[in-house]
Structures are given as C-alpha cells and as structure tokens.
Amino acid sequence: MLDSAKPAFHRANRLASQKVSEILAIGARAAELKKQGHPVIVLGAGEPDFPTPDNVIEAAHRAALDGQTTYTPLAGTPEMKAAIVAKFRRENGLDYAMNEVIATAGAKQVIFNAFMATLNPGDEVVIPTPYWTTYSAMVDICGGVPVTVTCTGDTGFKITPEQLEAAITPETRWLMLNSPSNPTGAAYSPEELLKLLEVLERHPDVWLLSDEIYEHIVYDDFPAVSPAALSAAIRQRTLIVNGVSKAYAMTGWRIGYGAGPAELIAAMTVVQSQSTSNACSIAQAAAIEALNGPQDILAERRESFQMRRDLVVDAINAIPGLSCRKPEGAFYAFASCEGVIGAKTPEGKTLESDRDFCAWVLETAHVAMVPGAAFGLSPYFRVSYATSKEELEEAMARLATACAGLEWSE
C-alpha cells in the first residue's frame, strides 16, 4: 500500500527572510472589504491610472499581425536596442553602444540580473531608506547584504554625502539610488548628486545603480538628471535602470531596460539567458513605439499628476496630527503620522504604530494606504495619487473625518 503521508517541503534558505509584499496584503484586504460591499478607495497602487497610449497599442497589434511572435536576441531586438540608445542620447545626453544596453522583462529584472551577475556572498549594497522593498529582497536572494541608511524628512528623505561615506566598507559593491523615489517622491538635484559622486570617486570599487524609472514624472520644473551624465569617471561604473511602465502606463507589458559598461551588460545577459531569455517580442515592439513615437503625452500626464500631488499634500497638511513634505516627483506622497501615534480611536484602540494607523483607516474609513514600516521608515504612510481627482478628494475627506474622531489621554 502506498504511503499517503504528505511529503515534507524544504524551503530554500535564501527565502528565510522573504515574505509576500505588505502592499499586496493590504490590497488583498481592500479587495475583501470591497467584496463585502464597502466603498474602499485604494491609494496603494504603484502604477499610473492612465491607459497605454493608442499608438503603442497599435504598434503591438501590427507586430503580432506581422508575425513578430518568435524568440528575439537575448538582450533585445536590434530595433529595441536602437530605441534605447536613441532615448539616452536624446533625453539624457548619454551615448551608449548597442552592446551597452539590455532589454528585460520589466525594470525589476535589470536590477536582479545585475545583482546575480556581480554579488558574491557577503558583498554589501548601500540602500537609502525608505526604499522600495524589492531592493533589499533582491540583494538578499542574490547572496548580498543590504546596508540600509535611514534618511529622514529632515534631509528630504535623501542620503547625505556624510551618511554615504560612513556606510561604505571594504565589502561595499553597490550604492542604489532611486530618483525620483518610491515611496517618497524625493528627487536629487544635480548639486546633490555631484556631492554624492565625489564620495564615490574616493571609492573606486563601489558601483552605482541608478533607478530612473520615474524620471519623466517630476514637477515644478525640477531638473531630473542622470548621475551618469554628471561624471565621466562614475559613468564607467554606473548601471542606469529604466523602463516604459511608469511614463507610458505600460506596467503590464513588462519591458525594462538598462545601460552600463559592456562587461556588466554581457554578464547580465548571461544571467538572463538562463532565466527568462528575451523579453516579450510584442511588448518590445510596443516599447519601441513608446520611446520613438510622439512624447507630448508625457507633459499632459505630468501636469495631471502635479495637480493631484498638490491636492493630496495640501489636504494631508490640513489634518491635525499629520504632515507631508511636497515631493519633487513620482506619484507618491510620504506623510508623517507621528502626531496621531498614541491616540485612541472611537473603538477604544490605541494607535501604537503607523501599521496600526493604516489598518484602522482601512477598516473604518475604507481608505487603503501603505505604512512607512513597509518601506523601512516609521511613523509614516504612503499615498499613491495615481487615481482620479474625485476619488482623491473623497479619500482625503474620509481621512480628515477619521482623524477628527481620535482622542488623546489626559
């Protein structure tokens, strides 16, 4: 008789510190409340609420009809790589050769490829905090050590040259910069970048990973500059990460791209050859049109995001106990809830953390937000304003009403 005992599952040690994203868990709870009939407004999404531009969709359709449905070269079609090269020359003043760029299944894969190709056990990666949590997870999975550096609102949520200098050790392999940032929307000015690059120039073994996925979503004429364009020396050890997901509302198309030294790109291509192989052929055709086609839609959508940013920041700052720095870019507001920690809810619960605060707002006001703890910094919460003006106004009204009902002990 066969043994029907359930076989033991042995989870890899590399996943010991990993779990499903807290953002996804909040989204799942929001969906559950919606199913129960509650009018939940979700302000946790990390994607634009705009549709993919029509010309991009038409390009994908043509590619499919033309039979572009087979494997492509590992690092991208010649046309895709040419579009990437042209983009960097046109928008960033950077000249890359075809063997210095790679197309991937989303910008996340650029980062993963780079870490798999360069990190040995014990190698350190400096990550300014708060940060997109996938950064540290990928470092962990690839055998490296994430070194998080706390960057508070006092420094605009940006790492200072002094902090960077103190964080670098003989084991440091990379510095990660995300400008504009998820979750804070903070962006580094050219002057701030130059001061950080001066530190890196003193440490020739430390490379720079510059995540520029939100570069087109900046406000008030803020100059979004790639650090690779500011220093010829640092450019030789910089990997730029970008993609079409945020600027062109193409999150589901899964096309990212990277640019860096040929030796690094070649090593990343080896990693990609043993994981996903090429990025989707049809999505590459769409991305080519996004990069090469009309760009006027970027300014139109940026203007809409700026209006929503101002609405959300002003509304939060009008609520006693909450405060919010005005971000330079992206579509997130990272607000402090320090002033309500310790308050008691009408239900009699004391709010002891930003997680408590966000959970209470979701359950009672039916507004889903992400606690700062999910990004490594408390007591804050992240609001994504990539939704309609009407929903944002309603969400902010609910948040104000909820906070007005809090009580403090004598």
Side-chain angles (χ1 to χ4, degrees):
M1 185 173 180
L2 294 175
D3 186 357
S4 60
K6 185 177 180 180
F9 169 69
H10 298 286
R11 204 166 190 251
N13 292 338
R14 71 177 65 90
L15 297 183
S17 62
Q18 305 305 319
K19 57 184 178 180
V20 174
S21 164
E22 188 169 350
I23 301 172
L24 294 180
I26 292 168
R29 178 55 182 159
E32 185 179 339
L33 288 170
K34 276 189 175 182
K35 191 175 291 186
Q36 295 171 7
H38 299 290
V40 179
I41 298 175
V42 179
L43 303 182
E47 63 180 343
D49 60 323
F50 297 110
T52 299
D54 290 344
N55 62 307
V56 173
I57 294 174
E58 289 164 5
H61 189 201
R62 288 195 303 270
L65 292 175
D66 289 345
Q68 295 181 36
T69 56
T70 59
Y71 293 131
T72 78
L74 277 171
T77 65
E79 296 80 7
M80 181 72 220
K81 296 178 78 170
I84 296 168
V85 167
K87 178 265 183 240
F88 279 115
R89 182 179 299 122
R90 179 181 68 245
E91 297 181 356
N92 305 101
L94 292 166
D95 284 311
Y96 286 102
M98 295 281 274
N99 66 344
E100 293 178 314
V101 298
I102 185 172
T104 60
K108 185 183 290 188
Q109 191 182 19
V110 180
I111 304 171
F112 188 82
N113 285 351
F115 287 160
M116 282 295 290
T118 63
L119 291 181
N120 289 314
D123 285 346
E124 296 176 350
V125 178
V126 176
I127 306 175
T129 304
Y131 60 92
W132 183 44
T133 50
T134 294
Y135 288 160
S136 64
M138 283 195 278
V139 173
D140 273 332
I141 290 172
C142 294
V145 178
V147 177
T148 57
V149 178
T150 300
C151 306
T152 66
D154 293 338
T155 61
F157 303 115
K158 292 176 276 191
I159 192 170
T160 67
E162 295 76 19
Q163 286 178 307
L164 175 57
E165 187 73 61
I168 292 175
T169 74
E171 285 72 45
T172 305
R173 191 68 185 270
W174 288 94
L175 163 67
M176 297 193 72
L177 286 183
N178 179 204
S179 178
S181 159
N182 175 12
T184 67
Y188 292 85
S189 69
E191 295 76 21
E192 290 169 326
L193 287 173
L194 281 169
K195 291 178 181 177
L196 295 176
L197 299 184
E198 288 175 4
V199 176
L200 293 183
E201 286 174 359
R202 295 194 290 271
H203 299 277
D205 293 331
V206 180
W207 285 48
L208 172 63
L209 191 153
S210 181
D211 184 346
E212 302 173 15
I213 193 74
Y214 295 99
E215 69 168 332
H216 285 298
I217 308 175
V218 288
Y219 314 117
D220 306 315
D221 297 320
F222 186 88
V225 178
S226 174
L230 297 175
S231 167
I234 300 302
R235 177 187 164 170
Q236 296 175 24
R237 45 189 162 109
T238 296
L239 173 66
I240 298 177
V241 179
N242 212 320
V244 296
S245 62
K246 312 299 183 181
Y248 302 97
M250 295 176 65
T251 52
W253 297 79
R254 306 313 302 140
I255 292 292
Y257 55 88
E263 297 83 359
L264 172 61
I265 298 299
M268 291 166 58
T269 303
V270 170
V271 174
Q272 187 158 304
S273 74
Q274 302 300 341
S275 55
T276 61
S277 294
N278 62 274
C280 170
S281 59
I282 303 302
Q284 286 187 68
I288 291 165
E289 174 62 23
L291 294 177
N292 289 343
Q295 302 296 304
D296 53 315
I297 199 169
L298 299 178
E300 295 171 11
R301 294 181 173 185
R302 182 165 57 244
E303 184 177 342
S304 176
F305 278 135
Q306 180 166 335
M307 176 274 293
R308 301 184 216 180
R309 176 203 64 171
D310 294 343
L311 185 162
V312 167
V313 171
D314 290 347
I316 290 174
N317 282 325
I319 300 174
L322 306 183
S323 63
C324 188
R325 175 184 180 273
K326 184 172 283 190
E328 291 88 2
F331 39 72
Y332 309 107
F334 199 66
S336 170
C337 57
E338 184 176 8
V340 299
I341 301 302
K344 185 170 288 187
T345 71
E347 299 79 21
K349 176 179 173 57
T350 299
L351 300 177
E352 297 180 352
S353 67
D354 48 357
R355 282 194 170 101
D356 284 351
F357 174 69
C358 288
W360 172 69
V361 170
L362 175 57
E363 297 296 331
T364 61
H366 301 134
V367 176
M369 309 180 300
V370 184
F375 307 103
L377 189 66
S378 297
Y380 290 87
F381 61 97
R382 190 191 78 172
V383 170
S384 168
Y385 47 85
T387 190
S388 71
K389 177 175 179 285
E390 293 72 26
E391 280 212 320
L392 290 172
E393 288 175 336
E394 173 63 20
M396 293 299 103
R398 292 186 196 177
L399 183 60
T401 299
C403 290
L406 295 172
E407 297 180 354
W408 282 261
S409 301
E410 294 296 333

